[in-house]
Amino acid sequence: MAKTKTQYECSNCGYISPKWNGSCPSCGEWNTFVEKTVSKGKSSSAHKAKVEGLEATAAPKKLEDVETSEKTRFTSNISELDRVLGGGFLPGSYVLIGGEPGVGKSTLTLQIAKSNPELTILYCAGEESAGQIKQRAARLGVKSDKLLVYNETQVDSIIAEAQKMQPDLLIVDSIQTVYRTELSSMPGSIQQVKECAALFQQLAKRKNITTLVIGHVTKEGDIAGPRVLEHMVDTVLQFEGDKQYTYRLLRSLKNRFGAAQEVGVFEMKSDGLSEVSNPSELFISDKTAGVSGNAVVCTMEGTRPLLIEVQALVTPSAYGSPQRTANGFDRNRLLLLLAVLEKRVGKNFSNHDVYLNIAGGFRLNDPAGDLGVCCALVSSLMDEAVAQNMAFVGEVGLGGEVRTVPHLEQRIKEAKKLGFKELVAPDSKQKDGIRYLHEAIKKALR
């Protein structure tokens, strides 16, 4: 009988240590080590049994002799998804999609069969039964004779079935439920996720089967499992959005075949996810006119300009320490902008509570939103409404200067398309542009 030994594995990055540590030496996370019992007599590669049909057989080729499949993309007929993918699915590509529970990952993958019934799709379900999937498909109105549901979580069986069928698209829901019998660890463990993800990568590249894998996320919102999982795949898609709201953002965090940080916008309805062709109208549709503290900023999400409403509320503080609360905006960035307003513009916020909210549950990360945030803060402090039909673009520096931002022409075009007559922006691209923060505030509150 083989001897066993105990080792400790980091649940965040997979680092192995012979003893328990409070902090992982590899990734720096705390309290992530999990005790594992392994056989001492077996080598580390003993469990890596070959999967039939995935052995490497191709000989090295010259670069000019390599054929590409860029011109053979197939679309999902969901324009927002195809936009994020860079124009559709590439044959043999490996896509990972993550998001919080209930955000719509499985719904989106199932709607691919509805939008393009000509695709042969093998849907491997590890979290739902075939009956549950059929009920959801009926609710979504999915009618496709080429959608096959396969209730299996054993990775060798899934790969064997995929090689037999040769589907246009293989969907695995989810990677945390798939396991390999040669490994002693439980499904969802670091070892199982790495091994199964590597096998699906070989399947996609060597058999030219487009593979879409759904992954869980941690409480911080990151893709669960080792970071090597994100390095293995060609494209990482992240579903974002507050479940209290109906809209969802699908963002490409990584894309080898298209632009990264591209965003697709959906709205969750009773019959599934509906595409939002003009998201700017969605985020400013409930804008209240004549109310102090409101300003519209033009941000860029990938290559798409979006108009977002910023709401600020500044009230006298009733306690010794004023409150600073930001929803959808970085709190440290808010503190920096408040310091610039006090030092460079002379507006005193030290005795006031400051609350900042990005309307619609959107998260504003673009520095070009700084100017609109500052104008909204001063508007609420002075209780004067921002001028009608005015939008803001610009990054605020520590000296009180307004810095130029990229894609300014696209932002101006989007603002004009939605009826904004004036865009307060840096002077590099506009004749009436502004250079300093106090100039923008004077123009906004005139």
Side-chain angles (χ1 to χ4, degrees), residues 282-307:
L282 174 69
F283 293 121
I284 62 174
S285 59
D286 297 329
K287 183 178 181 298
T288 305
V291 177
S292 64
N294 289 1
V296 175
V297 302
C298 190
T299 180
M300 291 294 296
E301 291 294 338
T303 59
R304 164 182 281 178
L306 295 179
L307 291 175

Side-chain angles (χ1 to χ4, degrees), residues 64-78:
E64 57 267 22
D65 296 334
V66 176
E67 297 180 358
T68 62
S69 56
E70 181 65 29
K71 296 181 180 179
T72 59
R73 285 181 184 265
F74 62 92
T75 64
S76 64
N77 289 340
I78 303 176

Side-chain angles (χ1 to χ4, degrees), residues 4-312:
T4 60
K5 67 175 182 179
T6 300
Q7 64 184 20
Y8 296 87
E9 181 179 1
C10 175
S11 60
N12 184 59
C13 67
Y15 178 82
I16 302 229
S17 172
K19 62 179 182 178
W20 186 88
N21 293 302
S23 173
C24 176
S26 176
C27 64
E29 294 294 326
W30 286 85
N31 299 322
T32 56
F33 277 101
V34 179
E35 183 178 347
K36 301 284 184 181
T37 302
V38 296
S39 297
K40 192 174 183 181
K42 296 182 180 180
S43 66
S44 59
S45 60
H47 67 274
K48 294 188 177 180
K50 292 183 179 179
V51 177
E52 184 178 355
L54 293 186
E55 295 82 2
T57 57
K61 294 182 180 180
K62 293 182 180 180
L63 182 61
E64 57 267 22
D65 296 334
V66 176
E67 297 180 358
T68 62
S69 56
E70 181 65 29
K71 296 181 180 179
T72 59
R73 285 181 184 265
F74 62 92
T75 64
S76 64
N77 289 340
I78 303 176
S79 59
E80 293 297 301
L81 175 60
D82 293 333
R83 165 199 284 272
V84 175
L85 291 171
F89 289 101
L90 203 64
S93 60
Y94 190 17
V95 182
L96 172 65
I97 179 170
E100 294 183 357
V103 76
K105 304 184 296 297
S106 300
T107 299
L108 178 63
T109 54
L110 202 56
Q111 283 188 221
I112 297 175
K114 175 184 177 181
S115 301
N116 195 343
E118 299 301 320
L119 291 179
T120 301
I121 300 176
L122 178 59
Y123 193 106
C124 298
E127 299 184 353
E128 296 176 287
S129 66
Q132 290 174 316
I133 294 175
K134 184 176 181 180
Q135 288 179 345
R136 182 152 49 88
R139 177 174 59 84
L140 299 176
V142 178
K143 295 180 181 179
S144 175
D145 295 333
K146 295 187 177 182
L147 173 63
L148 294 96
V149 179
Y150 189 37
N151 272 121
E152 181 59 66
T153 56
Q154 212 280 329
V155 66
D156 293 349
S157 300
I158 294 175
I159 291 176
E161 189 65 28
Q163 292 184 89
K164 178 182 175 182
M165 284 185 50
Q166 290 294 312
D168 296 318
L169 181 63
L170 169 65
I171 300 175
V172 181
D173 186 8
S174 67
I175 187 65
Q176 276 79 16
T177 62
V178 181
Y179 70 96
R180 196 169 188 201
T181 55
E182 285 82 356
L183 303 180
S184 59
S185 53
M186 294 291 292
S189 64
I190 298 292
Q191 195 176 23
Q192 287 281 8
V193 170
K194 289 170 65 176
E195 182 79 4
C196 295
L199 291 175
F200 285 127
Q201 181 193 42
Q202 295 176 39
L203 176 70
K205 302 306 176 185
R206 295 178 183 173
K207 298 302 178 181
N208 208 35
I209 297 176
T210 304
T211 304
L212 192 154
V213 173
I214 295 176
H216 296 168
V217 296
T218 62
K219 60 182 179 181
E220 290 83 12
D222 300 322
I223 302 290
R227 293 306 298 266
V228 70
L229 180 63
E230 298 180 35
H231 293 290
M232 285 182 180
V233 301
D234 299 316
T235 305
V236 179
L237 305 182
Q238 180 80 13
F239 239 133
E240 302 174 356
D242 193 333
K243 288 186 288 186
Q244 304 300 323
Y245 294 89
T246 59
Y247 75 89
R248 303 286 187 268
L249 298 182
L250 183 64
R251 187 188 306 273
S252 62
L253 304 181
K254 168 190 174 183
N255 194 350
R256 289 174 178 160
F257 311 117
Q261 296 301 321
E262 191 63 78
V263 169
V265 184
F266 298 88
E267 185 176 6
M268 181 64 79
K269 297 183 178 179
S270 59
D271 57 348
L273 291 166
S274 175
E275 299 176 67
V276 178
S277 58
N278 193 346
S280 294
E281 293 181 349
L282 174 69
F283 293 121
I284 62 174
S285 59
D286 297 329
K287 183 178 181 298
T288 305
V291 177
S292 64
N294 289 1
V296 175
V297 302
C298 190
T299 180
M300 291 294 296
E301 291 294 338
T303 59
R304 164 182 281 178
L306 295 179
L307 291 175
I308 308 295
E309 184 182 2
V310 176
Q311 299 175 330

